[in-house]
Amino acid sequence: MRDQPAPAETARQQLEPTVADALLAYAARTRAGADQFAAVLEEIATNGLPDVDQCTPWEELREQHRSRLVAQRPAVA
């Protein structure tokens, strides 16, 4: 990504307000997810890995994620 704005002579196509709002919301969600991930990495770096007995098995996490995806998908007749 650029650190500098586009030159003034370059015309830019303006987005519809609803599209711009949707992009801003997506950016905010993406930033929040990245911040959460960074916080987890910082916690691990500071305190080390958690005890295996305190962790959730990946199979259980996978099934939880599948359930969330199925709930989001519209039913097909």
Side-chain angles (χ1 to χ4, degrees), residues 21-33:
D21 290 343
L23 281 173
L24 291 170
Y26 177 74
R29 287 191 310 271
T30 302
R31 185 174 290 112

Side-chain angles (χ1 to χ4, degrees), residues 49-61:
L49 291 170
D51 186 64
V52 174
D53 294 334
Q54 296 175 344
C55 296
T56 305
W58 72 269
E59 295 92 348
E60 186 176 325
L61 295 172

Side-chain angles (χ1 to χ4, degrees), residues 11-73:
R12 300 188 88 171
Q13 180 181 354
Q14 294 299 309
L15 299 174
E16 294 291 325
T18 54
V19 174
D21 290 343
L23 281 173
L24 291 170
Y26 177 74
R29 287 191 310 271
T30 302
R31 185 174 290 112
D35 288 345
Q36 185 179 21
F37 182 60
V40 169
L41 294 177
E42 290 169 350
E43 197 277 329
I44 290 171
T46 302
N47 301 310
L49 291 170
D51 186 64
V52 174
D53 294 334
Q54 296 175 344
C55 296
T56 305
W58 72 269
E59 295 92 348
E60 186 176 325
L61 295 172
R62 179 192 63 208
E63 292 305 318
Q64 290 171 2
H65 186 63
R66 281 185 182 172
S67 296
R68 281 192 302 271
L69 291 174
V70 167
Q72 291 173 0
R73 183 177 29 174

